[in-house]
Amino acid sequence: MFDELNNLLQKYPNHVTIWIAYSGGVDSHVLLHAVCEWRKQYLNRTIHAVHVHHGLQADADKWVTHCDQVCQALQVGCTILYVDIEKTAKQSMEAEARKARYNALATLMQAGDVLLTAQHQDDQAETCLLQFLRGAGARGLAAMPQIMPFSRGYLVRPLISISKQEILDYAKEHQLRWVEDSTNLDEQFTRNFLRARIMPLLKSRWPNVPETIARVAAHSAETKNLLEDLAQTDLQQVKSEYGLSVQRLRALSCARQKNLLRYWFYQQDYLLPSTIKLQHIINDVVMAREDATPCVQWSDVEVRRFGDDLYVMPVRDRHDVSVEYSWDGVEPLHVKTGVLICQGARRNMTVRFRRGGEVCRLRGRTGTHELKKLFQEWQVPPWERDRVPLIFVDGQLAAIVGCAVCEGYEELSFQWT
């Protein structure tokens, strides 16, 4: 354990802080104790424990006291972070607590800092098996990486190749005291059910099953990295000004299309679609007619197509086109779809959105032009057209913000963000 810990921590500069996520349980206590032992050889290293109080357990305050006492005995600082978790269904509450915990931990990190967490080999095996049961691909089966970017520094899992039994043996050898979280025994949580019922059964037949499944995770991580390298190469060939080129995407095999789409979504921090949704994206959007404007939605994400471009974006709120604003241009105008700033001459104006039938004259062109046809000419995506602010002066369309200023109103100029 010490060799692994030393090899990992020696990679990071002396001036950074090493934070240890300390719940008070046996795993994080062993990690904290081992790091403190390691520090005896490297007195110039700064280590600091951090405990997150979720407020979900009756004994949460007692855990704070315990953590504080342990840290005092080890002569290491301890920061207590308090987070509020909305009590919902058990499974979602567990996910919300994890999200809140990592968000809170991220606030402590300075540039280059290292956060140590105590996930071990058995945790890795459980995560990989859970992902398998959910039908995950290489990314899910890779489970938890030992080192990954986090906040302004890095998240490191020094115990990821250490078994639970080794951790318990260490705790016994050093006579450590820890707290027990009663929710870890609640088998309504899927991971607890797997840990209490399934893993012991597997171990009774295959004693080394945690190590074996963890090896599957390692192989899957290598596969994931290869697939990401391929996706990055494909992305360079397929990307367009607004997203992806449908024509160039179609030139790839179906498997590479799926791989690239998953990578594209993941790189932009969107929730990945299910296998069925991903197939819908290919069948209903990528393979649609060029003049079609299809859309596939999942969670709070949507994929759209316009011409040869594939777009991904958050699902948009309903937009009320009947709304209008009186504006003198002096102060920025905040509307639901953005902020409008007048940079040219200021007039008494009305700002509204397309309702149909709008026409304008453009400098250098004869006659009037329907706004609908101008949007088509300017290649404005259909889902954007009703959200483009229109400036009216004395009832006449004077400017289409971001697109054109109408003839006779050339003194007007706007910025739209």
Side-chain angles (χ1 to χ4, degrees), residues 10-202:
Q10 285 289 72
K11 295 178 181 179
Y12 302 100
N14 291 344
H15 68 272
V16 304
T17 299
I18 298 172
W19 300 90
I20 301 101
Y22 179 40
S23 68
V26 63
D27 303 333
S28 60
H29 194 161
V30 164
L31 176 60
L32 176 63
H33 187 276
V35 174
C36 288
E37 290 295 304
W38 169 82
R39 185 182 58 171
K40 292 177 181 178
Q41 303 175 41
Y42 302 95
L43 298 177
N44 59 337
R45 304 307 297 263
T46 302
I47 67 172
H48 199 98
V50 54
H51 175 83
V52 180
H53 184 299
H54 300 89
L56 297 175
Q57 303 296 326
D59 291 333
D61 291 333
K62 294 180 181 178
W63 296 347
V64 169
T65 301
H66 170 82
C67 291
D68 199 40
Q69 290 173 347
V70 168
C71 288
Q72 287 183 34
L74 291 172
Q75 296 183 326
V76 62
C78 183
T79 295
I80 310 298
L81 299 176
Y82 292 84
V83 297
D84 293 321
I85 308 296
E86 183 179 351
K87 294 187 177 182
T88 55
K90 283 192 173 182
Q91 297 288 353
S92 60
M93 186 170 67
E94 184 182 29
E96 286 300 312
R98 185 184 306 109
K99 180 180 177 181
R101 179 165 63 252
Y102 279 103
N103 286 342
L105 292 169
T107 63
L108 297 176
M109 304 281 286
Q110 299 300 313
D113 280 1
V114 179
L115 172 67
L116 305 185
T117 59
Q119 291 93 349
H120 48 74
Q121 188 179 78
D122 293 54
D123 293 326
Q124 182 78 319
E126 291 166 6
T127 301
C128 182
L129 191 53
L130 282 170
Q131 291 293 337
F132 171 81
L133 294 172
R134 293 167 182 158
R139 181 180 300 281
L141 294 177
M144 299 176 286
Q146 185 172 51
I147 302 172
M148 61 182 288
F150 177 72
S151 184
R152 301 174 63 190
Y154 302 93
L155 189 153
V156 179
R157 299 180 172 97
L159 307 182
I160 203 71
S161 61
I162 305 297
S163 70
K164 178 72 171 186
Q165 189 58 53
E166 290 177 272
I167 289 172
L168 292 172
D169 291 345
Y170 182 103
K172 182 178 180 181
E173 178 185 350
H174 292 87
Q175 299 181 329
L176 304 184
R177 296 179 301 105
W178 59 89
V179 298
E180 296 285 359
D181 184 349
S182 61
T183 62
N184 289 335
L185 303 176
D186 187 349
E187 293 181 17
Q188 292 185 68
F189 292 109
T190 304
R191 183 181 287 273
N192 292 345
F193 174 81
L194 190 69
R195 182 180 300 149
R197 300 288 187 92
I198 306 303
M199 292 303 288
L201 183 61
L202 292 174

Side-chain angles (χ1 to χ4, degrees), residues 260-366:
L260 174 55
L261 288 170
R262 289 192 189 98
Y263 179 78
W264 187 48
F265 301 146
Y266 181 78
Q267 288 297 306
Q268 298 178 77
D269 292 326
Y270 289 117
L271 180 70
L272 297 186
S274 67
T275 300
I276 293 174
K277 282 290 184 182
L278 188 60
Q279 194 61 53
H280 274 305
I281 292 169
I282 293 174
N283 293 345
D284 303 340
V285 183
V286 176
M287 304 307 293
R289 303 186 322 270
E290 187 174 353
D291 61 346
T293 55
C295 175
V296 170
Q297 295 184 355
W298 70 96
S299 185
D300 59 347
V301 190
E302 62 185 22
V303 169
R304 295 178 177 270
R305 176 181 171 183
F306 178 56
D308 186 50
D309 290 302
L310 194 70
Y311 297 75
V312 61
M313 64 194 78
V315 171
R316 299 188 161 202
D317 294 335
R318 189 177 184 86
H319 177 56
D320 183 4
V321 297
S322 67
V323 135
E324 60 180 56
Y325 308 86
S326 296
W327 187 42
D328 60 10
V330 175
E331 297 293 334
L333 178 66
H334 293 259
V335 300
K336 189 174 182 180
T337 56
V339 180
L340 190 59
I341 300 172
C342 182
Q343 296 179 316
R346 287 164 172 74
R347 305 271 294 270
N348 289 325
M349 299 169 282
T350 300
V351 181
R352 64 177 181 84
F353 301 91
R354 184 169 74 114
R355 300 171 187 171
E358 294 87 356
V359 296
C360 74
R361 292 180 178 273
L362 296 179
R363 187 175 183 181
R365 298 175 61 164
T366 59

Side-chain angles (χ1 to χ4, degrees), residues 242-262:
Y242 302 106
L244 300 181
S245 162
V246 172
Q247 184 178 2
R248 294 195 291 272
L249 181 61
R250 282 180 173 182
L252 300 177
S253 68
C254 185
R256 286 175 71 169
Q257 288 178 18
K258 292 178 180 179
N259 184 52
L260 174 55
L261 288 170
R262 289 192 189 98

Side-chain angles (χ1 to χ4, degrees), residues 403-414:
C403 298
V405 174
C406 300
E407 187 176 62
Y409 301 96
E410 288 82 357
E411 76 279 6
L412 297 176
S413 177
F414 303 95

